[in-house]
Amino acid sequence: MLDLTYEAPKPKVISGAREDWELVIGMEVHAQVSSKAKLFSGASTKFGSEPNSNVAFIDAGMPGMLPVINEFCVAQAVRTGLGLKAEINLFSAFDRKNYFYPDLPQGYQISQLYHPIVGEGEVLVDMGPGVARLVRIERIHLEQDAGKSIHDMDPNMSFVDLNRTGVALMEIVSRPDIRGPEEAAAYVVKLRQILRYLGTCDGNMQNGNLRADVNVSVCRPGDYEKYRETGDFGHLGTRCEIKNMNSMRFIQQAIEYEAKRQIAIIEDGGKVDQETRLYDPDKGETRSMRSKEEAHDYRYFPCPDLLPLEIEQAWVDDIAASLPELPDEKKARFVNDFGMTEYDASVLTAESEAAAYFEEVAQGRDGKLAANWVINELFGRLKKDDLDITQSPVSAAQLGGIIDLITKGDISGKIAKDLFEIVFSEGGDPAGIVEERGMKQVTDTGAIEKVVDEIIEANPDQVAKARENPKLAGWFVGQVMKATGGKANPKAVNEIVARKLG
């Protein structure tokens, strides 16, 4: 396996009115666990159901109802931890986080503060060929999601939909290792990619299945390095948390605005207050939501309704044995096995379905040629029709058939593009279409030579110019291809034209 090496990107520097500042960003990503049932009840997690139709007694906060842990959700959290090269804690426990939740009827959230299921891990965030940021993961813990409050259905009342109440979330907490808005968005993209490969979260941000809380602070150049050397957060600025971000573009915009806001406060002699803020995309600004609470403000204590969670190493090992090949390893293998560029490998491994499609096309064929057709022709055509790889009208077998016809010399690259369009629009067997529609490439050198002779005879002035300047021979090649409807073998045409023109 090829070991791809990286250098870290430079931190984002923002010029204030008086001096330069650097960004420091930590992320708390809430990923909904891919599970048919909730974390502590058997109620469905199906999205789009009628309001309050996926609610068990425990979700509704009915007296006397006790939570029962969903083993599959625990397995999904362990699977995620393993995929992030993290430490799996064989002992973990649930705590109650007491807070006013209008859409969480129990009046508290069952979470994990003191003993999370997953410990320290890492994510390698690609920022371009040869450039990446290694972001440390502090922890992953399981917790309940809250419901949804709806304020725009009535001028005098708010409504509550409890369908999401109790759905299992993994909160993935990073260290403050991210140094710019683009890195923050790329981190969420990479995390989403890994979760989708693992099958532990579908990453659907539109449905709220992946949301990010972004902690932003600013510091003077050199202070971040002091923090990394000492572990002392005192070297960093006061952070503000921007809550519930579900758009890569908005994440970047919110960070840019928030950093400039903090810089302006500090340079004016003020002090940044630690608080939770919301981003308003219409105004392009963040606004205060509430002062930032600390753990003691939530009055955490061990959940009395749930025993500590103890899992066996053998069970963890079984989950580890079932992990798929993850994006970084697959990307390195594609570069190594198929001789493609790191960029092409990144494009092909962005989604596991696309990587699987490519591998089927490349099986027993030229990997670079297969990559070129998948990326440029197929992906380009799918994007035009707003389709994803799972909706492709051209199967991997059909695209492989087109590449086989090119390799055998039965069709030229130009004919292949016409053939691809026919298969994309109408379907069918590529080889059969070529035979039925007379698209086969002319390789008979005698027939090609006859056409060349006719064009040379009809254009004596052009012949004289081409003999003075050999670069003009391309004109004759174009005329021959035009006369043969693009079916003549380009290599044979070039050779015959060159020979005839001396």
Side-chain angles (χ1 to χ4, degrees):
M1 179 67 66
L2 181 65
D3 180 25
L4 298 178
T5 56
Y6 300 88
E7 64 177 38
K10 296 188 183 305
K12 171 87 172 184
V13 176
I14 298 178
S15 298
R18 300 179 182 178
E19 55 186 307
D20 288 342
W21 298 83
E22 290 182 358
L23 271 169
V24 180
I25 302 162
M27 309 272 290
E28 297 167 13
V29 173
H30 299 263
Q32 180 176 320
V33 175
S34 290
S35 169
K36 292 180 180 179
K38 297 182 180 181
L39 183 56
F40 298 117
S41 81
S44 171
T45 59
K46 185 178 179 182
F47 181 81
S49 299
E50 285 293 312
N52 298 307
S53 61
N54 298 339
V55 186
F57 288 133
I58 182 71
D59 306 322
M62 293 296 180
M65 296 297 105
L66 296 176
V68 178
I69 189 73
N70 182 336
E71 181 181 333
F72 182 73
C73 291
V74 176
Q76 290 285 66
V78 170
R79 189 174 174 84
T80 300
L82 292 169
L84 300 182
K85 302 183 177 70
E87 176 187 355
I88 306 301
N89 296 322
L90 300 184
F91 176 92
S92 62
F94 288 94
D95 307 291
R96 283 190 185 179
K97 179 181 182 183
N98 296 276
Y99 185 75
F100 175 65
Y101 293 97
D103 40 21
L104 199 56
Q106 291 164 305
Y108 54 83
Q109 180 189 43
I110 301 177
S111 182
Q112 293 184 311
L113 174 67
Y114 302 110
H115 302 287
I117 183 77
V118 177
E120 295 183 347
E122 63 184 39
V123 176
L124 188 67
V125 182
D126 308 291
M127 297 302 298
V131 181
R133 174 77 67 195
L134 188 67
V135 178
R136 297 169 297 165
I137 299 297
E138 179 182 322
R139 55 189 274 140
I140 303 174
H141 62 259
L142 281 167
E143 64 183 23
Q144 299 169 296
D145 201 356
K148 181 180 181 182
S149 295
I150 304 161
H151 307 293
D152 57 1
M153 289 179 65
D154 188 281
N156 301 311
M157 294 186 294
S158 291
F159 296 85
V160 178
D161 180 3
L162 299 180
N163 280 348
R164 289 189 71 94
T165 302
V167 166
L169 295 179
M170 296 177 287
E171 182 168 338
I172 305 168
V173 183
S174 84
R175 298 282 185 182
D177 292 348
I178 301 165
R179 307 302 311 282
E182 296 81 9
E183 284 184 33
Y187 168 77
V188 177
V189 169
K190 184 61 175 286
L191 199 55
R192 178 181 181 273
Q193 179 192 34
I194 294 171
L195 295 174
R196 285 170 59 83
Y197 263 74
L198 291 167
T200 57
C201 174
D202 66 17
N204 190 324
M205 300 185 82
Q206 289 76 22
N207 293 353
N209 295 357
L210 192 74
R211 316 187 291 272
D213 298 341
V214 188
N215 289 284
V216 180
S217 66
V218 295
C219 67
R220 291 177 173 81
D223 285 351
Y224 181 80
E225 286 69 27
K226 294 175 184 175
Y227 151 70
R228 289 300 297 262
E229 289 171 9
T230 64
D232 181 1
F233 286 95
H235 293 294
L236 304 180
T238 301
R239 73 183 190 275
C240 291
E241 180 183 50
I242 309 169
K243 201 78 175 166
N244 287 332
M245 304 295 296
N246 65 349
S247 157
M248 308 305 176
R249 182 163 59 92
F250 292 162
I251 285 173
Q252 294 183 66
Q253 291 173 356
I255 291 171
E256 289 273 8
Y257 175 86
E258 180 59 22
K260 291 174 181 175
R261 186 189 73 85
Q262 293 182 21
I263 290 169
I265 291 172
I266 298 168
E267 291 194 340
D268 283 346
K271 180 175 177 292
V272 175
D273 294 324
Q274 184 174 336
E275 61 181 346
T276 299
R277 301 179 70 84
L278 291 175
Y279 178 66
D280 185 336
D282 295 326
K283 295 182 178 179
E285 63 185 31
T286 63
R287 65 172 185 268
S288 183
M289 179 183 175
R290 61 174 182 260
S291 62
K292 179 64 178 176
E293 299 89 350
E294 301 294 344
H296 59 78
D297 293 316
Y298 292 113
R299 304 189 315 281
Y300 277 97
F301 62 86
C303 182
D305 294 336
L306 288 161
L307 289 170
L309 185 62
E310 296 187 41
I311 58 179
E312 296 180 350
Q313 185 61 49
W315 187 62
V316 175
D317 294 341
D318 286 344
I319 295 172
S322 70
L323 292 185
E325 183 181 38
L326 291 171
D328 289 341
E329 290 73 30
K330 193 178 288 290
K331 174 181 166 183
R333 180 169 62 81
F334 278 13
V335 170
N336 189 49
D337 292 357
F338 299 110
M340 66 178 67
T341 64
E342 190 179 327
Y343 173 79
D344 284 353
S346 295
V347 173
L348 290 169
T349 57
E351 299 285 348
S352 58
E353 296 87 354
Y357 183 102
F358 163 73
E359 290 213 72
E360 188 176 341
V361 173
Q363 186 67 38
R365 301 183 177 96
D366 181 285
K368 285 185 178 179
L369 184 60
N372 182 57
W373 271 87
V374 171
I375 293 171
N376 296 321
E377 300 303 325
L378 180 68
F379 287 178
R381 190 65 173 79
L382 291 174
K383 184 176 181 181
K384 181 181 176 184
D385 284 14
D386 196 24
L387 300 172
D388 64 40
I389 191 69
T390 63
Q391 300 167 309
S392 173
V394 180
S395 69
Q398 286 172 316
L399 185 55
I402 293 173
I403 293 171
D404 288 341
L405 292 168
I406 298 170
T407 305
K408 287 191 291 183
D410 288 352
I411 58 175
S412 65
K414 181 180 182 303
I415 295 173
K417 291 184 179 182
D418 295 337
L419 176 60
F420 174 82
E421 187 59 38
I422 293 169
V423 175
F424 192 97
S425 304
E426 304 172 23
D429 171 51
I433 293 170
V434 167
E435 290 293 340
E436 291 165 14
R437 305 198 184 188
M439 299 173 72
K440 203 164 187 179
Q441 186 170 238
V442 177
T443 55
D444 181 352
T445 54
I448 296 172
E449 190 165 350
K450 183 180 178 183
V451 177
V452 173
D453 286 340
E454 291 173 355
I455 292 172
I456 286 176
E457 187 176 343
N459 298 277
D461 293 344
Q462 199 69 22
V463 171
K465 292 177 183 177
R467 283 176 173 157
E468 289 179 11
N469 183 2
K471 291 181 180 179
L472 298 178
W475 182 86
F476 289 93
V477 174
Q479 293 300 306
V480 173
M481 297 304 293
K482 184 177 178 181
T484 60
K487 295 179 184 176
N489 183 299
K491 184 180 178 184
V493 173
N494 274 284
E495 290 175 352
I496 292 170
V497 167
R499 176 162 51 82
K500 292 284 183 179
L501 293 177

